[in-house]
């Protein structure tokens, strides 16, 4: 009956192989700036962090990420702290108070252009940031494409009840990726869809998963 704390030290190089993988590492055309993202559905989380990799066992997760200066980190929940380490690197801590299934834990790293809108909750008073982490080359187009996000949240909240992670945020990040993925509070969208009318459909699809998939999650993949 006594609580215990266990620390697991894990090292290695994560990989990606189709859908059963963990990380993608791409580079801008300049060959110098990385675009790093994780993708874990259905069983890839175990590849890049030690976990009980099953969707019925949600946990509160905190990520501490150290990157070269000039790169930004985006993840689940909110950025709780940021520190310039004085050695050419910085460290961000992201965490969410809402339990999350392992396959919905995410980490994005690049030199994103950040912009933000505001969602006003059904109570007419509570507000929540709706963030966009866009790759610089498409930042303006992504901002235009995803300007529908707040109205889409309003429609879904009216239909299904309040956005389930209201105390934190909803976010989108564009990366080199084939489609979309509803990572909890931090959706991943394909940069190749910027400027494509399909982006609005992709956006509302992944947003809908915040209620059905993220908040209400299946017991197992069958």
């Amino acid at each position: 009956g006594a609580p215990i704390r266990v620390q697991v030290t894990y090292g290695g190089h994560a990989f990606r192989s189709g859908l059963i993988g963990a990380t993608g590492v791409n580079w801008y055309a300049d060959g110098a700036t990385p675009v790093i993202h994780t993708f874990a559905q259905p069983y890839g989380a175990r590849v890049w962090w030690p976990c009980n990799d099953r969707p019925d066992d949600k946990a509160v997760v905190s990520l501490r990420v150290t990157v070269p200066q000039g790169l930004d980190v985006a993840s689940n929940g909110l950025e709780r702290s940021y520190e310039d380490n004085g050695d050419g690197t910085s460290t961000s801590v992201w965490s969410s108070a809402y339990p999350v299934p392992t396959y919905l834990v995410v980490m994005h790293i690049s030199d994103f252009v950040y912009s933000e809108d505001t969602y006003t909750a059904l109570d007419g008073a509570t507000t929540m940031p709706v963030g966009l982490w866009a790759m610089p080359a498409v930042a303006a187009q992504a901002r235009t494409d995803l300007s529908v996000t707040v109205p889409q949240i309003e429609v879904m909240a009216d239909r299904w009840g309040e956005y389930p992670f209201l105390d934190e945020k909803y976010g989108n990040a564009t990366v080199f990726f084939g489609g979309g993925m509803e990572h909890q509070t931090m959706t991943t969208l394909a940069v190749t869809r910027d400027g494509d009318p399909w982006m609005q459909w992709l956006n509302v699809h992944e947003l809908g998963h915040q209620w059905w998939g993220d908040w209400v999650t299946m017991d197992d993949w069958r």
Side-chain angles (χ1 to χ4, degrees):
I4 63 169
R5 178 189 283 280
V6 177
Q7 178 172 312
V8 178
T9 301
Y10 171 89
H13 295 278
F15 67 92
R16 182 174 179 184
S17 176
L19 290 180
I20 311 299
T23 63
V25 181
N26 302 98
W27 300 84
Y28 283 123
D30 62 13
T33 306
V35 182
I36 299 164
H37 63 90
T38 62
F39 180 89
Q41 186 186 31
Y43 303 122
R46 68 188 73 175
V47 178
W48 70 280
W49 61 287
C51 57
N52 190 25
D53 198 7
R54 45 185 290 176
D56 67 333
D57 190 13
K58 298 183 181 185
V60 174
V61 178
S62 177
L63 275 71
R64 178 183 297 272
V65 187
T66 299
V67 298
Q69 277 285 5
L71 297 183
D72 308 299
V73 179
S75 186
N76 309 92
L78 296 173
E79 186 177 44
R80 308 296 179 174
S81 67
Y82 173 88
E83 182 178 359
D84 181 341
N85 298 319
D87 60 358
T89 69
S90 62
T91 299
S92 298
V93 175
W94 284 80
S95 67
S96 175
Y98 298 99
V100 56
T102 52
Y103 79 98
L104 294 174
V105 176
V106 68
M107 175 182 65
H108 295 317
I109 301 168
S110 195
D111 60 336
F112 294 115
V113 174
Y114 180 74
S115 58
E116 184 176 297
D117 292 316
T118 301
Y119 164 70
T120 301
L122 295 176
D123 64 10
T126 305
T127 60
M128 178 189 74
V130 178
L132 170 60
W133 286 259
M135 293 166 59
V138 298
Q141 183 64 58
R143 177 77 172 156
T144 298
D145 293 343
L146 298 171
S147 63
V148 298
T149 304
V150 169
Q152 288 176 346
I153 297 174
E154 292 170 348
V155 169
M156 292 195 176
D158 182 65
R159 179 174 296 269
W160 293 324
E162 187 56 84
Y163 174 73
F165 311 111
L166 186 64
D167 289 341
E168 293 178 351
K169 74 167 188 313
Y170 183 65
N172 280 312
T174 63
V175 299
F176 294 113
F177 181 68
M181 183 61 209
E182 67 274 14
H183 298 113
Q184 190 164 302
T185 73
M186 186 74 252
T187 286
T188 304
L189 297 172
V191 69
T192 55
R193 293 296 182 174
D194 284 311
D196 185 334
W198 190 64
M199 177 64 96
Q200 292 190 2
W201 181 91
L202 182 65
N203 187 38
V204 76
H205 173 96
E206 306 304 344
L207 173 61
H209 275 302
Q210 299 298 310
W211 283 261
W212 309 112
D214 296 15
W215 181 43
V216 178
T217 305
M218 62 284 173
D219 277 342
D220 64 48
W221 287 106
R222 291 172 294 180

